[in-house]
Amino acid sequence: MSLFSWPVRIYWEDTDAGGVVYHANYVRFMERARTEWLRAQGIDQLALRETTGLGFVVRDMTLEFLRPARLDDELLVTLAVKERRSASMLFGQEIVRGDTTLLRATVRAACVNLDSMRPAQIPPDLFRPEFP
């Protein structure tokens, strides 16, 4: 299982009055990493919607906040596919600063028909052959 990573720097807009990253922003950082992972797989989400009507939405998420990130930190958001089902994928994600893990998460993303918001099978040819 390969690990994908995406760099993030913390700016004023990411922090609260104390200079600590606001908790909801971690979710945004992880979303960006999943989007960039899809791009690295050759998947254009806009084209996917236009050609198939499909897209991925978060079905559930568990977050474990371990340590805070602060203004000007350089972080790495990682992603590993833990499980793939016919209509969903389970990701393990972490946000790290150097050797320190700040957050651990599991995220299940469901493939849905974006018009009806009903579950849909992930197209079998969507991912490259090397993807499990």
Side-chain angles (χ1 to χ4, degrees), residues 31 34-35 37-38 43 45 48-49 53-59 84-89 91 108-114 117 120-123 126-127:
E31 175 72 25
R34 289 190 308 277
T35 296
W37 174 79
L38 284 170
I43 298 168
Q45 292 185 83
L48 179 65
R49 179 187 179 121
L54 300 178
F56 291 95
V57 298
V58 172
R59 183 181 183 283
R84 181 171 169 199
R85 295 182 181 170
S86 64
S88 71
M89 292 185 291
F91 299 99
R108 181 162 303 277
C111 183
V112 299
N113 176 300
L114 291 168
M117 295 307 288
Q121 187 169 4
I122 298 170
L126 185 61
F127 292 100

Side-chain angles (χ1 to χ4, degrees), residues 26-34 63 77 93 95 103 105:
Y26 293 99
V27 175
R28 293 176 47 211
F29 302 154
M30 291 187 304
E31 175 72 25
R32 291 176 191 169
R34 289 190 308 277
L63 305 172
V77 183
Q93 289 194 260
I95 298 179
L103 178 138

